[in-house]
């Protein structure tokens, strides 16, 4: 079985490696033909930009070109004006790189490459040009042409020669996700599986949904993908995100009812479990399930018992589960058939056209920017202090290394590994430069000689686990070869450049350790606290948040937390896996729908509860949820039960029940006849 799975991957990896080497040689030959000063930059750029999936290469191509142009323009503006003040020039380059890295880390889309390249391109172009500032414009134009040529060659070969589309990968992941979601829905409805196992499965689905979201970003740039599929996936993605907290809500309500579920409700749950797993042609009509739910819904008044409230809440969530599940199937069918998803009749309406928000950590981004600034300045101080002619490579590589790995919790290990494999590239290139290339007399023999090593580098790039190794070998190998139209390699010059290169990498490692490295536990705690702060803001705004944006933001952080799950304290893991923060926020947003139809005493009770909830969320790192918050929730429920039968009453009760179940799952049942303190509403 392992051979069946691995063999096709190896074939695809080899094809990618051959395509990448072909694009690199094409870029090199064109650069030599049009007499660009450093044609090897075009070759190296191909190995930096190429991705196994065509859409992933195309999605970043334009931004990489724009980033290169921006960085080149900055070098033209800064170098001639500050070349006579080297300390000020180094500071300007460091600050520019830090600013661009800060913006890049906040963006977290393919557009982030524009900012990152704009940052370190200034260092790549500017530092070697300080000895000849008069030619900076020509140098900047040449670097832009070389890098743009490499990007164009990589993109054209990736999209025209045996392209590997993102669409089948996304389609397979969506099919797998929906199949897992159906099984999880069945287990929740039938009460199967342990609560912990259910939470872990939901967490896994949340992470998978975010991976699909990342791939979907590239799908829009894939020329092989149908525009209907892109539009349909956007709508499907919103339904997928909303399904996860909904399953948590259903599970909580079933757990609260426990063995007090009425026989007719148990029969309905069995019907829904069969319906969820059935093929489309064998499924019971949705209208019949809607009717069964309506027939079981109890009337809610001031004398309603807790079981009746939970049953009514459960039935409403079950109807939403039916609607979302049906829409997911319909949208997935439309995507598979390349049909226009806008023509699909959806039952559960979401906020169409809203892109899920992404988490931004301004503090961590500023910290990373400070790290690259310090690394560049220290490398520049070493370069200027020693008067080393070839020392410009040190701040260049410090800028590149610190920028490339800045998104990691602790970039130092990755920079160290990159440096180790860069040293391997230095040795390999030395063999080529001083043992193999001197005997080569034409371009054909040169390409044949380079093929074994660079095809191997491409194979390494194709495997996610070895991508950094292949990138270090391919990009640095092409750069260090420094191929020109004539052979002019000099061992002393090569050794100097290689030494400066490694000093820059060493400076990046040491200074990253001192300035930037962070523990996964610390990052996880920041994310958790940010979630509680976001929830407090939602409560203070009385749920005046866009539902899809809130879900996207919370699940985006959930994906970041899942990567650090082992570093999260045991007490917070269950809360995280249960999506309690997300579900509370959605219930607050749902309560907002009821605000304009409620009486003043009820509205005052709900507002008091939201204020207490906001205060508790802001202090969540220090204390557990306070008991008086539970009293506030119960008081608001008592007020809501006094409301006349109408949709606002239903929305308010469902939201309050959801908040209570998510924050106080072990609390005693609500008692409508208990004496809830009226002072809490004041």
């Amino acid at each position: 079985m392992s051979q069946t799975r691995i063999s096709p991957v190896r074939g695809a990896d080899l094809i990618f490696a051959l395509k990448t080497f072909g694009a690199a040689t094409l870029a090199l030959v064109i650069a030599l033909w049009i007499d660009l000063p450093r044609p090897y930059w075009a070759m190296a750029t191909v190995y930096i930009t190429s991705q196994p999936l065509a859409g992933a290469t195309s999605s970043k191509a334009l931004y990489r070109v724009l980033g290169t142009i921006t960085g080149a323009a900055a070098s033209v503006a800064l170098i001639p004006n500050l070349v006579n003040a080297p300390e000020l020039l180094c500071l300007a380059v460091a600050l520019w790189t830090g600013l661009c890295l800060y913006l890049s880390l906040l963006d977290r889309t393919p557009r982030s490459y524009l900012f990152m390249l704009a940052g370190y391109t200034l260092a790549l172009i500017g530092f070697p040009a300080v000895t000849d500032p008069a030619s900076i414009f020509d140098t900047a134009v040449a670097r832009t042409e070389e890098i743009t040529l490499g990007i164009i060659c990589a993109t054209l070969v990736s999209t025209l020669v045996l392209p590997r589309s993102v669409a089948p990968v996304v389609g397979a992941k969506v099919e797998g996700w929906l199949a897992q979601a159906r099984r999880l829905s069945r287990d929740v409805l039938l009460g199967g599986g342990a609560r912990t196992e259910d939470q872990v499965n939901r967490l896994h689905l949340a992470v998978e949904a975010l991976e699909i979201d990342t791939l979907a970003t590239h799908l829009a740039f894939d020329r092989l993908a149908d525009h209907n599929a892109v539009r349909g996936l956007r709508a499907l993605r919103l339904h997928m995100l909303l399904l996860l907290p909904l399953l948590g809500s259903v599970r909580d309500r079933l757990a609260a009812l426990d063995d007090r579920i009425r026989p007719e409700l148990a029969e309905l749950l069995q019907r829904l479990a069969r319906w969820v797993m059935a093929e489309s042609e064998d499924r019971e009509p949705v209208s019949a399930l809607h009717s069964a739910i309506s027939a079981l819904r109890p009337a809610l008044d001031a004398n309603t018992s807790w079981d009746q409230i939970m049953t009514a809440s459960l039935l409403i969530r079950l109807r939403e589960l039916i609607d979302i599940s049906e829409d997911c199937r319909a949208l997935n069918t439309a995507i598979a058939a390349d049909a226009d998803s806008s023509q699909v009749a959806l039952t559960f309406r979401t906020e169409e056209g809203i892109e899920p928000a992404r988490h931004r950590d301004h503090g961590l981004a500023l910290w990373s920017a400070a790290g690259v600034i310090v690394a560049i300045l220290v490398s520049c101080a070493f370069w200027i202090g020693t008067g080393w002619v070839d020392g410009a490579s040190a701040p260049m590589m410090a800028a590149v290394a610190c920028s490339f790995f800045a998104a990691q919790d602790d970039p130092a290990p990755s920079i160290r590994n990159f440096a180790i494999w860069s040293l391997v590239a230095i040795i390999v290139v030395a063999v080529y430069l001083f043992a193999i290339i001197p005997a080569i007399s034409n371009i054909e023999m040169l390409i044949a000689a380079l093929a074994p090593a660079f095809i191997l580098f491409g194979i390494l790039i194709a495997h996610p686990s070895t991508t950094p190794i292949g990138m270090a070998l391919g990009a640095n190998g092409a750069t260090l070869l420094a191929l020109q139209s004539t052979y002019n390699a000099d061992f002393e010059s090569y050794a100097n450049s290689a030494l400066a290169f490694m000093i820059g990498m060493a400076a990046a490692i040491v200074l990253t350790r001192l300035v930037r490295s962070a523990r996964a536990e610390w990052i996880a705690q920041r994310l958790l606290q940010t979630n509680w702060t976001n929830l407090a803001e939602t409560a203070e705004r009385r749920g005046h948040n866009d539902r899809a944006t809130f879900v996207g933001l919370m699940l985006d952080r959930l994906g970041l937390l899942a990567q650090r799950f082992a570093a999260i304290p045991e007490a917070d893991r269950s809360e995280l896996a249960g999506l309690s923060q997300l579900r509370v926020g959605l219930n607050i947003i749902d309560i907002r729908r009821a605000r304009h139809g409620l009486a003043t005493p009820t509205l005052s009770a709900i507002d008091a509860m939201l204020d207490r909830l906001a205060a508790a969320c802001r202090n969540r790192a220090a204390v557990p949820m306070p008991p008086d918050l539970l009293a506030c929730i119960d008081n608001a429920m008592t007020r809501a039960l006094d409301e006349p039968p109408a949709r606002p009453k239903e929305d308010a009760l469902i939201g309050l029940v959801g908040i209570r179940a998510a924050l106080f799952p072990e609390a005693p049942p609500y008692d409508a006849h208990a004496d809830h303190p009226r002072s809490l509403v004041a």
Side-chain angles (χ1 to χ4, degrees):
M1 182 174 178
S2 59
Q3 290 183 348
T4 305
R5 295 181 62 185
I6 292 175
S7 296
V9 174
R10 284 180 175 170
D13 293 347
L14 180 59
I15 291 173
F16 168 75
L18 291 171
K19 288 168 55 179
T20 303
F21 181 66
T25 54
L26 176 63
L28 177 64
V29 169
I30 294 175
L32 289 169
W33 177 51
I34 61 179
D35 199 26
L36 291 176
R38 294 188 181 182
Y40 52 87
W41 275 96
M43 182 180 183
T45 300
V46 172
Y47 278 90
I48 294 172
T49 59
S50 293
Q51 301 285 326
L53 299 177
T57 302
S58 302
S59 67
K60 301 168 186 174
L62 175 62
Y63 297 122
R64 282 177 164 134
V65 171
L66 293 176
T68 301
I69 294 172
T70 304
S75 68
V76 172
L78 291 177
I79 303 302
N81 294 309
L82 299 176
V83 71
N84 293 322
E87 295 82 3
L88 188 57
L89 174 61
C90 293
L91 178 61
V93 174
L95 290 175
W96 169 266
T97 307
L99 173 64
C100 292
L101 180 60
Y102 168 76
L103 296 174
S104 173
L105 292 174
L106 292 182
D107 192 278
R108 296 183 57 222
T109 69
R111 187 175 54 239
S112 66
Y113 282 86
L114 189 160
F115 302 111
M116 187 168 68
L117 263 74
Y120 69 69
T121 296
L122 172 58
L124 291 176
I125 295 176
F127 285 135
V130 294
T131 56
D132 186 18
S135 63
I136 184 62
F137 181 80
D138 293 336
T139 302
V141 171
R143 289 303 85 76
T144 302
E145 290 173 342
E146 292 152 2
I147 294 172
T148 301
L149 174 61
I151 293 171
I152 292 173
C153 288
T155 304
L156 288 177
V157 172
S158 176
T159 56
L160 298 178
V161 180
L162 299 175
R164 187 179 173 194
S165 175
V166 179
V169 179
V170 175
K173 281 191 169 290
V174 169
E175 287 285 356
W177 193 96
L178 292 175
Q180 290 182 64
R182 286 194 291 271
R183 289 192 294 271
L184 178 60
S185 300
R186 177 200 60 198
D187 293 343
V188 168
L189 290 168
L190 298 180
R195 183 183 183 88
T196 303
E197 180 185 357
D198 170 64
Q199 291 176 342
V200 170
N201 288 337
R202 249 183 290 148
L203 185 63
H204 175 71
L205 282 174
V207 175
E208 287 285 324
L210 292 174
E211 290 179 4
I212 292 172
D213 180 56
T214 300
L215 286 171
T217 303
H218 304 308
L219 189 64
F221 296 87
D222 194 331
R223 72 178 186 87
L224 300 177
D226 188 274
H227 289 295
N228 286 329
V230 175
R231 190 184 306 111
L233 185 60
R234 187 178 297 116
L236 176 59
R237 186 174 55 197
L238 293 176
H239 282 73
M240 290 165 62
L241 293 178
L242 292 170
L243 180 61
L244 298 177
L246 179 59
L247 288 174
S249 297
V250 172
R251 178 90 185 203
D252 281 350
R253 285 153 177 77
L254 289 173
L257 289 170
D258 197 17
D259 56 355
R260 301 186 304 279
I261 296 177
R262 292 184 298 167
E264 53 269 32
L265 178 56
E267 182 184 349
L268 175 62
L269 293 172
Q270 294 279 349
R271 287 172 62 184
L272 290 181
R274 291 192 297 270
W275 178 85
V276 163
M277 297 300 298
E279 296 298 330
S280 297
E281 57 271 14
D282 301 326
R283 302 173 86 202
E284 188 175 358
V286 171
S287 58
L289 296 174
H290 284 172
S291 299
I293 288 174
S294 299
L296 291 178
R297 283 179 60 176
L300 301 179
D301 54 39
N303 296 314
T304 301
S305 68
W306 176 238
D307 283 357
Q308 289 176 310
I309 295 173
M310 290 300 292
T311 299
S313 174
L314 171 63
L315 290 169
I316 290 173
R317 294 307 187 207
L318 290 177
R319 180 176 179 122
E320 292 176 351
L321 176 61
I322 293 169
D323 293 344
I324 291 179
S325 299
E326 181 70 9
D327 288 351
C328 283
R329 286 193 183 240
L331 287 168
N332 192 42
T333 301
I335 292 171
D338 288 336
D340 185 357
S341 61
S342 63
Q343 302 303 313
V344 176
L346 299 179
T347 307
F348 190 92
R349 286 290 170 182
T350 61
E351 293 82 347
E352 299 293 340
I354 300 295
E355 289 296 325
R358 298 179 186 274
H359 170 68
R360 294 179 176 180
D361 191 331
H362 291 270
L364 191 58
L366 282 171
W367 191 16
S368 299
V372 74
I373 290 171
V374 172
I376 292 174
L377 291 177
V378 171
S379 300
C380 286
F382 174 80
W383 174 31
I384 295 171
T386 59
W388 189 9
V389 176
D390 293 320
S393 295
M396 282 168 48
M397 293 314 302
V400 172
C402 290
S403 297
F404 253 79
F405 303 104
Q408 300 180 4
D409 293 349
D410 184 2
S414 295
I415 298 175
R416 183 194 61 218
N417 291 335
F418 189 81
I420 291 171
W421 288 104
S422 296
L423 180 59
V424 173
I426 289 172
I427 297 171
V428 171
V429 168
V431 173
Y432 268 104
L433 281 178
F434 304 108
I436 299 175
I437 293 180
I440 294 175
S441 57
N442 57 59
I443 189 68
E444 293 83 1
M445 291 180 61
L446 176 64
I447 293 173
L450 295 177
F454 280 87
I455 290 175
L456 174 61
F457 301 160
I459 292 174
L460 292 172
I461 292 174
H463 278 282
S465 60
T466 57
T467 295
I469 297 174
M471 190 81 70
L473 293 171
N476 292 324
T479 303
L480 292 165
L481 271 172
L483 294 172
Q484 303 279 7
S485 56
T486 57
Y487 177 78
N488 58 359
D490 174 72
F491 184 78
E492 182 180 352
S493 175
Y494 178 76
N496 264 320
S497 297
L499 183 59
F501 183 100
M502 294 308 298
I503 288 175
M505 298 298 295
I509 295 170
V510 172
L511 292 168
T512 297
R513 284 284 190 200
L514 294 175
V515 178
R516 167 60 182 85
S517 295
R519 294 181 305 155
E521 296 92 332
W522 183 79
I523 302 291
Q525 285 299 327
R526 283 180 64 84
L527 288 165
L528 285 169
Q529 186 56 43
T530 303
N531 267 354
W532 286 115
T533 301
N534 191 214
L535 194 55
E537 291 170 351
T538 301
E540 288 165 349
R541 297 177 63 190
R542 305 297 188 249
H544 189 67
N545 281 10
D546 178 82
R547 186 184 181 93
T549 300
F550 179 82
V551 173
L553 181 60
M554 296 292 278
L555 285 178
D556 185 51
R557 291 200 196 105
L558 181 66
L560 298 175
L561 281 163
Q563 298 169 8
R564 304 165 176 87
F565 196 71
I568 297 173
E570 196 70 37
D572 293 323
R573 289 186 185 180
S574 176
E575 189 174 77
L576 172 65
L579 308 182
S580 61
Q581 295 166 321
L582 172 58
R583 285 156 44 209
V584 170
L586 289 177
N587 279 295
I588 293 173
I589 294 172
D590 287 342
I591 287 175
R592 181 172 178 268
R593 294 182 305 189
R595 293 184 62 82
H596 298 296
L598 298 174
T600 300
T602 305
L603 191 57
S604 298
I606 289 176
D607 286 345
M609 182 275 295
L610 292 176
D611 289 337
R612 188 66 191 93
L613 174 60
C617 289
R618 291 197 182 278
N619 297 323
R620 184 62 178 85
V623 294
M625 283 294 165
D628 63 324
L629 174 59
L630 177 61
C632 284
I633 296 172
D634 287 351
N635 182 64
M637 289 180 61
T638 300
R639 294 288 194 180
L641 286 169
D642 288 334
E643 295 283 322
R647 181 63 185 268
K649 173 181 180 176
E650 179 181 282
D651 288 340
L653 282 173
I654 298 309
L656 291 167
V657 168
I659 293 172
R660 192 184 200 275
L663 294 181
F664 300 96
E666 307 299 330
Y670 164 80
D671 183 359
H673 302 290
D675 184 19
H676 303 295
R678 297 303 183 190
S679 60
L680 293 172
V681 223

